[in-house]
Amino acid sequence: MKKNLKNKKILLIISGGIAAYKCLDLIRLLKKQHVEIKTVLTKSAKNFVTPLSVAALSKGKVYQDFFDAESESEFDHISLSRWADVILIAPATANIIAKFANGIADDLASTLVLASNKDTILVPAMNVRMWINSITKKNFNKLFSNGYLSVGPEIGEMACGEYGQGKMSDPKIILDYLNNFFNNKNILKSKNLSAIITAGPTREHLDPVRFITNKSSGLQGYEIAKSLDKIGINTTIISGPVKLDISNKIKKIDVVTGKEMLNAVKKNLPTDIFVGTAAVSDYTFNTFYNKKIKKDEKDEIKIILKKNADILEYVSNHNSMRPKLVIGFAAETSNLIKNGKNKLAKKHCDWIIANDISNENFGIDSVFNEVSIIDKNFNIEKIEYSKKSFIADKIADRIVKTFI
Ligand code: C5P
């Protein structure tokens, strides 16, 4: 693999677990790759490794105390984070994960992570029971949803003699992860990729106060936009009426009807990636009444609906400006995979992400989802029941892989 770590600046936070000893080897390997390293040791980490050995191997200052008379005047918690290309927490104990997840800032390590906007990679290490404890899981998932990255933990025999998941990944695995991470970043940067995401429902108006819409919350699309933005893709979200916010780094275009959504998509083409998560109304009213329709004596009135333009189909078949990757969604209440495959063929997109909306515990209008990615060769990758933010990260990962 291409080596991408030369002159990278890694801020290594060592927290207090028995696996901390592995960090000495990790520092040695990183130094061999000409990485610049600064280290922070939590108070309990010093029970497992000495500041002297960390300083000797990293060839730099070891930051320990928040209230360091020598250097706190430099605002270590701010300057260290500013300096770093990436923050690596190895080992990340259940305690430090809990602190990060709850915004606790009671020492240098937790304060600088709270004050940082840099990519932060956790390398969890703990006893298996601590790892599978639902409180740790919740804390970890919260961080994951907020964009933290992670390596491991691995399954194996632990220092305490128990067997299970919780072992800190070996330094070589962490090194491979970092190489991959910077490699992907470099490639993505050089490719300067862009993406358009459609999200949310549309509203098709009959008159100024009446419209057809659906239960789509827009959350899955917003999360995908966030995940793509996070990895450096120039992202535009074209959104129907939803109650969601998004960072102003992402270009957002608000629309109401399917027709407006189509026009906004057309205006923003060409793009490298198109993800159609919007639940566009299949039909719209044939006639729009400028004034509110009055109730009259008739018991029945007939309203004619006509087909709305299919945005996904338009983009997929737009040969001169077809994005390299066109992804559609298929919300299905039955025959998920069969219907997904049919939609893939009919709409000529590259992937269909099929999601089951028959179960009210996930899918439409929920923070959870369960999806299957079906590609052109009908290979299927299932992403089990998870938060939509997690699913978005997985989808973004897979998108990146198709461009590398
Ligand atoms: O045909 P169906 O609505 O089930 O297909 C769903 C997929 O097609 C989604 O990706 C959705 O965003 C897209 N779609 C669209 N324009 C429409 C209808 C659906 O882009 N008018």
Side-chain angles (χ1 to χ4, degrees), residues 118-149:
K118 295 295 171 70
D119 286 311
T120 304
I121 304 170
L122 301 165
V123 189
M126 64 198 76
N127 167 276
V128 56
R129 311 234 156 264
M130 293 168 91
W131 175 247
I132 60 175
N133 188 306
S134 63
I135 295 173
T136 307
K137 280 263 166 286
K138 265 190 207 136
N139 288 334
F140 183 75
N141 288 340
K142 195 165 159 190
L143 295 177
F144 208 88
S145 311
N146 278 282
Y148 284 61
L149 303 164

Side-chain angles (χ1 to χ4, degrees), residues 281-346:
S281 178
D282 291 328
Y283 288 90
T284 188
F285 294 102
N286 203 25
T287 312
F288 171 71
Y289 295 84
N290 286 321
K291 295 217 167 87
K292 188 180 166 205
I293 301 172
K294 289 259 177 258
K295 186 163 44 178
D296 64 17
E297 300 308 311
K298 285 185 212 132
D299 285 340
E300 268 184 2
I301 53 165
K302 284 207 170 76
I303 289 169
I304 299 177
L305 296 173
K306 63 176 180 189
K307 253 207 169 139
N308 236 348
D310 192 308
I311 303 168
L312 181 62
E313 228 171 297
Y314 172 86
V315 175
S316 285
N317 293 302
H318 197 58
N319 292 335
S320 62
M321 271 200 257
R322 189 188 193 281
K324 286 179 210 85
L325 188 62
V326 179
I327 304 171
F329 268 72
E332 302 291 341
T333 47
S334 61
N335 294 326
L336 186 69
I337 300 298
K338 190 168 159 241
N339 290 339
K341 285 180 177 171
N342 288 342
K343 209 155 280 183
L344 185 71
K346 181 171 168 273

Side-chain angles (χ1 to χ4, degrees), residues 2-241:
K2 196 167 163 275
K3 300 291 176 226
N4 303 289
L5 296 179
K6 196 169 177 200
N7 299 333
K8 291 284 182 269
K9 297 185 177 98
I10 296 182
L11 177 60
L12 174 65
I13 296 177
I14 305 175
S15 70
I18 181 78
Y21 76 91
K22 289 188 184 176
C23 281
L24 300 178
D25 203 26
L26 176 64
I27 295 171
R28 195 183 56 80
L29 292 178
L30 290 171
K31 286 311 282 183
K32 266 180 135 175
Q33 306 257 329
H34 308 285
V35 172
E36 287 184 44
I37 306 175
K38 289 192 181 184
T39 47
V40 174
L41 250 69
T42 65
K43 195 169 164 211
S44 56
K46 284 184 262 176
N47 294 318
F48 300 98
V49 285
T50 66
L52 188 60
S53 47
V54 173
L57 286 167
S58 66
K59 301 189 173 44
K61 180 172 168 185
V62 180
Y63 295 77
Q64 302 173 52
D65 294 315
F66 193 38
F67 302 107
D68 181 340
E70 247 180 59
S71 62
E72 180 47 22
S73 56
E74 298 166 20
F75 293 106
D76 285 341
H77 60 294
I78 305 293
S79 59
L80 282 172
S81 149
R82 272 204 198 129
W83 168 85
D85 291 318
V86 77
I87 301 177
L88 181 69
I89 297 109
T93 57
N95 178 55
I96 208 160
I97 288 173
K99 284 211 252 181
F100 294 160
N102 292 289
I104 294 170
D106 64 352
D107 61 4
L108 179 58
S110 53
T111 308
L112 80 83
V113 168
L114 191 64
S116 166
N117 61 353
K118 295 295 171 70
D119 286 311
T120 304
I121 304 170
L122 301 165
V123 189
M126 64 198 76
N127 167 276
V128 56
R129 311 234 156 264
M130 293 168 91
W131 175 247
I132 60 175
N133 188 306
S134 63
I135 295 173
T136 307
K137 280 263 166 286
K138 265 190 207 136
N139 288 334
F140 183 75
N141 288 340
K142 195 165 159 190
L143 295 177
F144 208 88
S145 311
N146 278 282
Y148 284 61
L149 303 164
S150 75
V151 189
E154 315 293 332
I155 297 172
E157 195 169 324
M158 327 213 137
C160 56
E162 281 193 67
Y163 185 89
Q165 190 173 15
K167 267 174 84 76
M168 178 169 141
S169 299
D170 279 339
K172 279 204 175 101
I173 294 178
I174 302 171
L175 198 69
D176 278 351
Y177 180 92
L178 289 168
N179 261 307
N180 247 324
F181 172 81
F182 283 112
N183 191 32
N184 290 352
K185 276 210 147 200
N186 286 344
I187 292 176
L188 281 179
K189 206 169 161 197
S190 69
K191 292 196 186 242
N192 196 20
L193 295 175
S194 65
I196 296 176
I197 321 295
T198 64
T202 61
R203 279 182 192 170
E204 308 299 329
H205 275 273
L206 173 65
D207 69 16
V209 290
R210 300 184 178 95
F211 53 81
I212 319 178
T213 191
N214 57 64
K215 279 170 65 180
S216 167
S217 65
L219 184 61
Q220 188 65 79
Y222 274 62
E223 291 297 348
I224 292 173
K226 281 196 228 164
S227 300
L228 293 177
D229 169 67
K230 203 164 61 187
I231 50 181
I233 294 176
N234 302 312
T235 305
T236 299
I237 186 160
I238 301 175
S239 172

